[in-house]
Amino acid sequence: DRLAVRLVGYQDYIAGFIDNVVPAAAADDYSAALGAPPGTLVIPGHAAFTRKDTNSENIWGARAAVTWKPTDQLRIDLSYAAQGVTLNAEPGVQQAVGPYAVQRALDLYSRGFAKEDMKIGQVVVTYDWSAVTLTSASSYTQMKRSSASDFGFLAAAAGLGDQLWPFLDRSTAGTFTQEFRLQSRSEGPLQWLAGAFYTNSFNDLGQVIPDESCPTCIPEVLLGQSFAINTSVGGGPDQVSEKQRQQSVFGEVNYSFTPRWTLGVGGRYLKDSLASFGTAAEGFLASPTGFVAAAPTVGGSSSIFNPSGYLRFKATDDMTYYVQAARGFRSGNSNQALSYDPNGPCAASAKILGLGPLTDPDTLWTYELGLKSVLWE
C-alpha cells in the first residue's frame, strides 16, 4: 500500500519507401571555374548504384514511474522518460528524379539522416499538514538533435561542380526547473498560495561541412582544410551558444464573501537573464581567409511584476460565471551578429528597426469572461 512502480518500453521500425537512384558519373574537372591549371580541382567519378527504401525510421523509448508514500502525509513521485528517433536518410524527395526517389551521390561517403534523442526526469514531493500543503517539483529535460543533409547544391549553383559536402548539424538543449509551493487546505472562506520558481536552460550548437572524398577540391587546395566550414572552433563538437536563467516568486489569495461570490488576486515577480555566446568559424565558406572570429558575448536581464485577478459567481451548484484579467511575460532572445553588425550588410535596416544584440521581452494583458456549467447530470 506504500510503493508502486510502473515500467514501459517500446520499439518501432517504420519501413522506408524512397529509393536513391544514382547514375554513373565521370570525374569532374572544374579547375577552369577558378582559373586553376587543368587537373588541379577534380571531383572523383563513381559507378551507378541504387539503394532501396532509404528513409526507414527507428524509434525506441522507455518510461519509469515510482510513487512512494512512506507516511500518510508524505508522497514522493519520481518519473523518467527517454526516447530516440532516427530517420535513416535525408528527408524529402526530388520530384525531377521521381515521386519516391532521390539522386544522392553523397551516400557513397556520408549517408543522410535526422536524429532526435530526448530525456525527461522529474521528482515531485508533497507533504500535507492539517492547514497547508508543501510541494516541491524538480525536473530536467534534455534534447539532442543531429542531421546530415546534402549541401552540394550550393557549390553546384556557384559553378564549383557537384561537391560532396554533407551538412552536419547538431544541437543539445537542456533545462532544469525547480518550484516550491505552499498552499492552504482549510475549509474556510480564505484560501491562499505562495511559491518560488527557478529555471536554468542552455543551448549548444555545432555545424560542420566536411569535404568527404576529394583531396584536390576547394577546401584542401585553397586553405589546407578538410572542410568547407566548421563552427565548433575551440569548443569541441558542441559550443554553448545561449544560456537563460529565470527566478520568480508568486502568490495568490482568494476570499469567498458569500457561498456564491469569490474574489481572487495574485501576482508574480520575476527576473529573466539571457546570455548569448559568439561562435568562431573556420573554412572558406566562412570567409576568404578561412577564419571568422567569434562575435562578442552579449547578455542582459530584465525584471517585471505580472498581476492577475478574478471575480467568480456561483449562480447555482451547476453553474459558475467568472471574469478575470492577467498579464503575461515572454522572454527576449538573442539575435545573430550579422543582423545587427553596424559594419555588416544589414546595418541600415538594423538602425531603422533599432535592432541590437538582444530583443527586449514583451508583455501581454489577457481578459476573459467565462461560464462553467454541468448539464444533464
Side-chain angles (χ1 to χ4, degrees):
D1 296 334
R2 295 293 181 183
L3 182 67
V5 178
R6 171 177 288 179
L7 301 176
V8 179
Y10 56 92
Q11 187 169 1
D12 194 12
Y13 172 79
I14 301 175
F17 56 87
I18 296 175
D19 297 337
N20 186 16
V21 182
V22 182
D28 181 11
D29 186 343
Y30 65 100
S31 307
L34 295 181
T40 304
L41 302 169
V42 180
I43 299 171
H46 57 80
F49 68 93
T50 298
R51 291 180 178 170
K52 305 282 290 184
D53 304 329
T54 59
N55 64 321
S56 60
E57 189 171 2
N58 296 92
I59 303 170
W60 68 269
R63 299 196 307 272
V66 178
T67 294
W68 182 35
K69 289 196 69 174
T71 69
D72 290 341
Q73 291 78 33
L74 177 62
R75 173 176 174 143
I76 302 172
D77 291 287
L78 301 95
S79 65
Y80 179 81
Q83 178 175 276
V85 180
T86 302
L87 180 66
N88 298 306
E90 184 178 356
V93 300
Q94 296 169 325
Q95 291 293 338
V97 181
Y100 304 106
V102 296
Q103 280 186 8
R104 196 178 191 276
L106 182 63
D107 273 10
L108 283 170
Y109 308 96
S110 177
R111 182 165 179 168
F113 69 88
K115 188 175 183 180
E116 183 178 278
D117 296 298
M118 183 167 61
K119 300 175 182 178
I120 303 173
Q122 181 172 270
V123 180
V124 179
V125 180
T126 303
Y127 193 90
D128 294 326
W129 288 275
S130 58
V132 297
T133 295
L134 175 64
T135 301
S136 168
S138 311
S139 70
Y140 181 75
T141 301
Q142 185 186 75
M143 171 73 81
K144 289 186 176 181
R145 305 181 70 179
S146 58
S147 64
S149 53
D150 193 339
F151 212 61
F153 68 87
L154 181 66
L160 303 178
D162 295 322
Q163 300 289 342
L164 300 170
W165 290 347
F167 179 53
L168 308 180
D169 184 49
R170 56 190 177 273
S171 64
T172 301
T175 299
F176 170 78
T177 65
Q178 173 65 52
E179 180 172 305
F180 294 104
R181 232 172 22 245
L182 197 63
Q183 186 171 1
S184 63
R185 59 193 305 259
S186 66
E187 299 295 331
L190 180 66
Q191 302 291 326
W192 55 269
L193 178 149
F197 176 82
Y198 171 83
T199 182
N200 194 337
S201 63
F202 70 91
N203 286 285
D204 292 345
L205 301 175
Q207 295 177 338
V208 180
I209 301 179
D211 199 337
E212 287 291 351
S213 66
C214 187
T216 63
C217 288
I218 294 177
E220 291 87 341
V221 172
L222 290 184
L223 299 168
Q225 297 168 329
S226 61
F227 48 83
I229 194 170
N230 174 26
T231 65
S232 303
V233 183
D238 298 307
Q239 288 202 152
V240 175
S241 63
E242 189 173 275
K243 289 184 177 180
Q244 186 173 21
R245 185 175 67 253
Q246 191 177 108
Q247 303 153 286
S248 66
V249 291
F250 58 90
E252 180 186 311
V253 60
N254 67 69
Y255 187 81
S256 298
F257 295 94
T258 73
R260 301 293 185 189
W261 289 93
T262 300
L263 177 66
V265 293
R268 176 186 293 263
Y269 175 79
L270 65 87
K271 183 177 181 180
D272 188 57
S273 302
L274 183 70
S276 178
F277 303 88
T279 303
E282 292 179 319
F284 85 97
L285 287 181
S287 78
T289 63
F291 181 80
V292 174
T297 298
V298 298
S301 62
S302 57
S303 58
I304 191 171
F305 176 74
N306 289 324
S308 64
Y310 64 87
L311 179 65
R312 188 168 64 221
F313 173 60
K314 193 172 181 67
T316 68
D317 290 343
D318 295 334
M319 188 173 295
T320 299
Y321 297 90
Y322 67 92
V323 58
Q324 66 182 28
R327 184 167 67 179
F329 169 90
R330 180 170 58 180
S331 297
N333 63 275
S334 58
N335 298 312
Q336 295 186 25
L338 182 65
S339 65
Y340 63 83
D341 184 356
N343 299 315
C346 305
S349 299
K351 185 176 181 180
I352 294 173
L353 296 172
L355 188 66
L358 295 176
T359 296
D360 292 333
D362 56 9
T363 60
L364 180 72
W365 274 98
T366 63
Y367 306 92
E368 185 175 345
L369 176 65
L371 165 67
K372 295 181 179 180
S373 62
V374 178
L375 303 174
W376 309 298
E377 299 183 353

